[in-house]
Amino acid sequence: STNGKNLALRWTAHDAGSGLLTFYLLNRAKNFDDYLAAISHWNCAGQNFAFASHSGDIAIKQQGTFVARWKRQGDFILPGTDSTYAWQGMIPVEENPMIKNPVRGFVSSANQQSTDSTYPY
């Protein structure tokens, strides 16, 4: 219950994006560089984009606009009238998690923690 109070939501998926261009280019991608160029256009809510080539290369990258926030920010309703609770910015796209040809021999995506404790965001 909101006890008669109005609530507002901020979500990156509400921002305009170029998802159609992403998939148009992915459908025409011939190699890893084409894959990276195609997914670079994805700026909506984050997605995991997997890659596999005929030559045996594999990769996965989390692509999208990710909010740089402190631990547990966004887990609970926060006061929108206090700017100290506002988003502090976005994670630079070049720092989105990615792995290519991991030693373990496969990539996976199951909503797991995709980075270890050294990831700064």
Side-chain angles (χ1 to χ4, degrees):
S1 171
T2 62
N3 296 324
K5 295 182 180 182
N6 295 318
L7 301 176
L9 173 72
R10 174 74 170 99
W11 184 29
T12 58
H14 289 151
D15 297 344
S18 51
L20 288 176
L21 178 59
T22 301
F23 289 105
Y24 176 84
L25 294 173
L26 276 174
N27 284 331
R28 287 151 180 78
K30 304 276 189 237
N31 54 47
F32 183 72
D33 291 337
D34 290 351
Y35 152 83
L36 286 179
I39 67 172
S40 73
H41 295 281
W42 186 266
N43 58 351
C44 298
Q47 296 292 321
N48 294 329
F49 286 92
F51 170 83
S53 71
H54 288 290
S55 63
D57 288 325
I58 58 172
I60 190 167
K61 181 173 183 183
Q62 287 188 333
Q63 182 61 32
T65 303
F66 296 99
V67 179
R69 56 185 174 182
W70 63 83
K71 187 176 179 91
R72 311 250 2 227
Q73 181 183 13
D75 287 358
F76 305 98
I77 296 171
L78 301 171
T81 56
D82 185 344
S83 64
T84 61
Y85 293 102
W87 290 350
Q88 303 303 302
M90 301 298 175
I91 296 173
V93 173
E94 59 274 3
E95 295 185 35
N96 287 353
M98 186 187 94
I99 190 166
K100 182 181 179 189
N101 296 329
V103 173
R104 68 182 186 174
F106 66 92
V107 298
S108 60
S109 172
N111 294 326
Q112 75 282 6
Q113 184 71 27
S114 60
T115 60
D116 62 22
S117 62
T118 62
Y119 188 66
Y121 302 102

